[in-house]
């Protein structure tokens, strides 16, 4: 298993509702809901924290799971989300785009 | 039940206002004959105040957010507000007359992941559309903006308010929507009796409009 960096796509909308994360892609209007563990990974996907760091620091202590199988499950999950274009995966840190301010116009 | 209907039901059960419409300005560069706004300066919230409201809406669980006005691009900070809303991960829709949208704005709306832009077009004929908006050249600029937005791959819908002044142009507007590859929504519906709404509510057969008008 090789570690990787993950970042949320800039085209998605997301909100926590009743313990589940709702995600909608602006690109094709597809809608997903994530459970609690998946939501934690999603929220931590900032492009500069590696997937294994996220699993080791946020998932394992919280849910008392075996690190190896948690890493495997997490890899499968992020691969699945990246196929739908709502999560970006790279072997290097991913730069998050900067946003305009009123001075920029 | 569809996933969307399930979510709406769940939001209702949890008392979450899942869908919010926010008017960020009274100002507008058009003076549509059917508009309920009086376009007087009633003051408006500043950037920090709107960002604070967006924070509160995100905390309240709002997922769908529509920006409207007035004309949203009359605010110099509008893209900054959209960017802030997108950082808070709202699903953002924008209602605009698009007159002020050029390549720069279209590129940012795309980069910020805006879900949909709704644009008012009242006729395919400049003499009719511009007579309704009271802004010469507005149809030409609006169509140009739609092309910029489509070029970016954005989802655009065209909104037409049916009234006496454009009652013979619906087929032309339909053809224009087809040519521009956008969805058309025609609305004869009622809107609040705000601003000029109470004076602008004559029925189609005696006045300008079929119903009290709405901005965007
Ligand atoms: S209807 Fe919309 S575009 Fe027309 S004057 Fe009112 S706010 Fe402006």
């Amino acid at each position: 298993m090789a570690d990787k960096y993950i970042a949320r796509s800039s085209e998605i909308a997301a909100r926590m509702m009743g313990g589940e994360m709702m995600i909608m892609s602006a690109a094709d209007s597809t809608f997903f809901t994530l459970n609690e563990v998946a939501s934690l990974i999603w929220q931590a996907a900032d492009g500069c924290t590696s997937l294994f760091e996220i699993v080791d620091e946020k998932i394992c202590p919280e849910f008392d799971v075996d690190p190896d199988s948690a890493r495997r499950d997490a890899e499968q999950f992020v691969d699945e989300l990246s196929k739908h274009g709502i999560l970006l995966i790279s072997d290097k840190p991913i730069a998050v785009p900067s946003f305009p301010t009123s001075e920029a116009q | 039940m569809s996933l969307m209907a399930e979510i709406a039901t769940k939001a209702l059960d949890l008392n979450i206002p899942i869908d919010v419409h926010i008017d960020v300005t009274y100002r507008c560069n058009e003076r549509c004959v059917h508009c309920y706004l009086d376009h007087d300066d009633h003051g408006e919230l500043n950037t920090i105040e709107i960002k604070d409201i967006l924070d509160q809406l995100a905390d309240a669980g709002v997922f769908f957010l529509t920006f409207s006005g007035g004309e949203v691009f009359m605010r110099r900070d509008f893209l900054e507000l959209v960017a802030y809303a997108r950082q808070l991960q709202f699903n953002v829709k924008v209602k605009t007359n698009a007159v002020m949208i050029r390549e720069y704005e279209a590129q940012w709306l795309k980069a910020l992941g805006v879900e949909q832009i709704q644009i008012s077009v009242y006729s395919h004929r400049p003499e009719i559309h511009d007579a309704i908006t009271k802004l010469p050249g507005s149809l030409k600029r609006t169509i140009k903006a739609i092309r910029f937005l489509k070029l970016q791959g954005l989802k655009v819908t065209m909104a037409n308010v049916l009234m006496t002044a454009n009652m013979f142009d619906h087929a032309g507007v339909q053809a224009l929507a087809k040519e521009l590859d956008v969805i058309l929504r025609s609305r004869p519906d009622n809107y609040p009796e705000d601003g000029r709404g109470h004076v602008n509510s004559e029925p189609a057969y005696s006045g300008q409009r079929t119903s009290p008008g709405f901005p965007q």
Side-chain angles (χ1 to χ4, degrees), chain A residues 42-100:
Chain A
W42 167 262
Q43 279 166 319
D46 58 6
C48 56
T49 314
S50 81
L51 180 60
F52 291 170
E53 269 178 78
I54 294 171
V55 172
D56 296 350
E57 285 164 25
K58 302 231 186 256
I59 307 297
C60 294
E62 185 84 11
F63 296 94
D64 191 24
V65 283
D66 158 56
D68 277 347
S69 62
R71 285 180 175 197
R72 261 195 306 277
D73 288 351
E75 276 200 305
Q76 222 177 342
F77 162 71
V78 298
D79 282 345
E80 195 58 40
L81 286 192
S82 83
K83 273 189 216 145
H84 292 285
I86 57 177
L87 204 59
L88 312 174
I89 301 182
S90 169
D91 50 7
K92 295 190 192 73
I94 304 164
V96 180
S98 59
F99 291 110

Side-chain angles (χ1 to χ4, degrees), chain B residues 15 34 42 90 92 95 106 116 131 133 138 142 178 185 190 192 200 202 209 213:
Chain B
N15 252 333
H34 59 286
H42 298 283
F90 288 105
V92 172
K95 292 187 176 184
Q116 196 185 109
T133 64
S138 56
T142 294
K178 199 167 171 210
R185 295 217 170 92
N190 289 330
N200 247 359
E202 306 90 352
R209 47 194 295 131

Side-chain angles (χ1 to χ4, degrees), chain B:
Chain B
M1 200 195 281
S2 74
L3 188 54
M4 219 47 150
E6 245 177 76
I7 281 161
T9 309
K10 192 170 165 188
L12 205 62
D13 289 346
L14 294 169
N15 252 333
I16 291 174
I18 196 141
D19 196 343
V20 163
H21 177 120
I22 181 167
D23 288 348
V24 290
T25 184
Y26 289 106
R27 289 176 288 149
C28 191
N29 47 354
E30 294 186 341
R31 288 289 180 275
C32 300
V33 295
H34 59 286
C35 183
Y36 65 68
L37 295 181
D38 55 20
H39 300 108
D40 288 345
D41 182 7
H42 298 283
E44 57 191 44
L45 298 176
N46 65 28
T47 314
I48 293 167
E49 288 167 332
I50 292 187
K51 285 183 176 178
D52 179 49
I53 288 176
L54 296 180
D55 285 335
Q56 293 179 46
L57 295 178
D59 288 345
V62 174
F63 185 61
F64 300 102
L65 182 74
T66 302
F67 281 110
S68 185
E71 169 48 45
V72 289
F73 279 99
M74 292 295 280
R75 288 189 69 112
R76 287 183 61 77
D77 62 355
F78 182 60
L79 285 174
E80 182 178 346
L81 295 177
V82 175
Y84 192 75
R86 290 293 299 124
Q87 276 174 303
L88 293 173
Q89 299 191 323
F90 288 105
N91 172 288
V92 172
K93 294 193 185 80
V94 175
K95 292 187 176 184
T96 170
N97 59 38
V99 165
M100 294 166 82
I101 296 180
R102 296 189 177 81
E103 234 168 339
Y104 174 87
E105 287 77 17
Q107 281 167 353
W108 269 115
L109 291 171
K110 174 65 181 172
L112 293 170
V114 168
E115 161 82 14
Q116 196 185 109
I117 325 283
Q118 183 180 303
I119 298 172
S120 310
V121 175
Y122 307 115
S123 170
H124 59 298
R125 295 186 286 165
E127 63 274 26
I128 301 296
H129 178 93
D130 296 0
I132 289 172
T133 64
K134 300 220 189 298
L135 180 67
S138 56
L139 180 64
K140 196 171 164 199
R141 287 169 68 180
T142 294
I143 290 176
K144 205 167 167 191
I146 293 175
R147 292 194 203 280
F148 283 142
L149 294 164
K150 289 296 293 181
L151 216 60
Q152 294 297 323
L154 279 155
K155 215 177 299 161
V156 177
T157 57
M158 242 162 66
N160 182 14
V161 187
L162 303 172
M163 55 192 128
T164 308
N166 63 1
M167 66 195 291
F168 300 114
D169 290 8
H170 191 56
V173 175
Q174 273 178 322
L176 180 63
K178 199 167 171 210
E179 184 210 320
L180 294 168
D181 189 24
V182 301
I183 298 161
L184 174 64
R185 295 217 170 92
S186 300
R187 306 178 61 171
D189 54 349
N190 289 330
Y191 250 65
E193 300 271 310
D194 290 343
R196 297 186 306 151
H198 63 290
V199 291
N200 247 359
S201 55
E202 306 90 352
Y205 50 81
S206 64
Q208 278 291 353
R209 47 194 295 131
T210 54
S211 66
F214 60 94
Q216 306 312 340

